[in-house]
């Protein structure tokens, strides 16, 4: 094998379509573009979503909703989960190690769901009004 004899495999290279080269080629005259209209002309095309001047679908439909990207940094823990955890002092790191909240979470709030019988001291963790009263009733505290 020598450099001047190397060729691509048969059928691996397809000749590009040569348009506008006469009737016999099958792609003469209009060169596969059909007759008249915007798409037949050089440089004539439309932007994405254009419907020929009709009000486009994305403008006909109402704007609706919004979801903040900051929500992914918030986490929730229930009273039942705190009971199961069984720690006397709970902070964000302890919740992450127990896999009750995701690693990306920065702020955690305790919600009133389930029961808490043990006294738990929370540091750096928020709580709803109902959860706060339940924690304090069990002898725990929030910092």
């Amino acid at each position: 094998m020598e450099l001047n004899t190397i060729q691509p495999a048969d059928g691996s290279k397809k000749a590009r379509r040569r348009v506008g080269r006469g009737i016999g080629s099958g792609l003469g005259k209009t060169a596969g573009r059909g007759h008249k209209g915007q798409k037949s002309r050089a440089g004539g095309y439309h932007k994405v979503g254009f419907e020929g001047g009709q009000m486009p679908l994305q403008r006909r439909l109402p704007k609706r909703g919004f979801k903040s990207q900051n929500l992914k940094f918030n986490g929730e823990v229930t009273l039942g989960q705190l009971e199961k955890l069984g720690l006397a002092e709970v902070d964000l790191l302890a919740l992450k190690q127990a896999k009750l909240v995701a690693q990306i979470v920065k702020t955690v709030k305790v919600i009133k769901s389930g029961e808490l019988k043990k006294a738990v001291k929370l540091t750096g963790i928020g709580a709803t009004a109902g959860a706060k009263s339940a924690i304090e009733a069990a002898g725990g505290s929030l910092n």
Side-chain angles (χ1 to χ4, degrees), residues 100-112:
L100 288 177
V101 294
Q103 293 295 323
I104 196 171
V105 167
K106 292 179 183 173
T107 55
V108 178
K109 203 169 205 183
V110 179
I111 58 172
K112 188 185 175 190

Side-chain angles (χ1 to χ4, degrees), residues 63-83:
K63 293 198 285 186
R64 182 167 181 270
F66 169 78
K67 190 171 182 183
S68 173
Q69 287 302 301
N70 292 331
L71 291 175
K72 62 188 170 192
F73 299 114
N74 299 342
E76 282 182 355
V77 179
T78 64
L79 291 173
Q81 288 173 324
L82 285 179
E83 180 74 27

Side-chain angles (χ1 to χ4, degrees), residues 79-96:
L79 291 173
Q81 288 173 324
L82 285 179
E83 180 74 27
K84 257 188 209 172
L85 192 60
L87 294 175
E89 289 192 26
V90 178
D91 61 347
L92 184 59
L93 189 64
L95 293 174
K96 284 183 181 179

